Amino acid sequence: MSESSADRLDVVLLKAGRLKIRYTGELLADDGTRVAVRAAWAGDGVRDFGFVRFEPGDVFTEYYWRDRWYAIKEVRSATGALKGWYCDITRPAVLPHARTGGTPIGPELVVEDLDLDLWVSADGTDVRRLDEDEFDDSGLARTDPEAAAAARSALDELESLARGGGFAALLV
C-alpha cells in the first residue's frame, strides 16, 4: 500500500533542546489529543539493550499525547511478533501547525525527550525503569523543577499501569 504525502509525518525528537533524531512515519490517527504514527526502526543497525534488540525491519507503532508527559512505542519484529513497549518520558507532543479537515498542514511532530524511559515486555512480566541516572545528571530538577516533577510522575504512572494491567487501555 503506498502512502500519500498527507499520510506522512516527520517525528522530530529533541533532547536538551538539540535534535536527537528525525524520521518519517505514517500518520495513523490524530484525535486532537493523541497522535499515532507507524515507523520503521530509525536507528543505525542493531541496538541491543540486553533485554530487547531493536533492529532493521522492526516496526514501531508510536503513541504521542499533547496533554501527557510520555510517548509509548509498541515494538514488533519484521515478522510481526510483539517485542514489547518502549516508553519515553517526554514533554507533551506538539504538532506546530493546525489541522484542517483531518489533514495535517505542517506534517511535523515535535517531542522533547526527558531521559527517563520504561520498558514493558510483550508478556508484561518485565517492567523496568531506565536511564534514571541520565535524568538525574541532566540537571532538569534544578533548571525546571516543575518539568522534572511531571516527568517523575509520568514514569510512576506508566509503571503503575504496566504492573496493574491498565497499560493496554492507553493504546485503544
Side-chain angles (χ1 to χ4, degrees):
M1 175 166 81
S2 68
E3 299 169 8
S4 71
S5 60
D7 297 327
R8 312 278 303 157
L9 180 75
D10 280 353
V11 177
V12 179
L13 186 61
L14 305 174
K15 190 167 184 175
R18 282 179 252 170
L19 180 66
K20 180 177 177 182
I21 191 168
R22 173 190 210 96
Y23 54 92
T24 301
E26 175 189 3
L27 177 63
L28 300 175
D30 180 357
D31 67 8
T33 302
R34 187 180 77 175
V35 178
V37 177
R38 182 176 300 123
W41 163 241
D44 293 327
V46 174
R47 177 116 189 244
D48 190 341
F49 291 93
F51 51 88
V52 67
R53 287 171 49 102
F54 297 160
E55 49 202 336
D58 284 352
V59 176
F60 288 63
T61 302
E62 305 175 354
Y63 301 90
Y64 299 92
W65 284 265
R66 291 177 176 91
D67 63 351
R68 297 185 188 188
W69 287 71
Y70 51 77
I72 299 174
K73 300 170 182 181
E74 179 186 274
V75 185
R76 293 187 176 270
S77 71
T79 63
L82 179 63
K83 292 184 175 187
W85 298 270
Y86 196 91
C87 308
D88 286 321
I89 303 303
T90 67
R91 291 183 188 271
V94 177
L95 260 170
H97 298 41
R99 300 178 60 77
T100 59
T103 303
I105 295 171
E108 186 176 86
L109 181 71
V110 180
V111 183
E112 185 178 351
D113 184 349
L114 297 177
D115 293 313
L116 293 171
D117 301 299
L118 185 77
W119 170 253
V120 181
S121 63
D123 65 4
T125 60
D126 183 8
V127 177
R128 61 177 72 204
R129 295 165 78 107
L130 305 169
D131 303 328
E132 290 183 284
D133 54 339
E134 285 181 37
F135 179 77
D136 292 341
D137 292 345
S138 75
L140 188 65
R142 179 180 37 78
T143 60
D144 191 345
E146 289 180 18
R152 286 260 182 225
S153 178
L155 181 62
D156 291 344
E157 175 188 344
L158 282 175
E159 182 180 17
S160 177
L161 288 168
R163 293 188 186 282
F167 189 76
L170 291 171
L171 310 179
V172 176

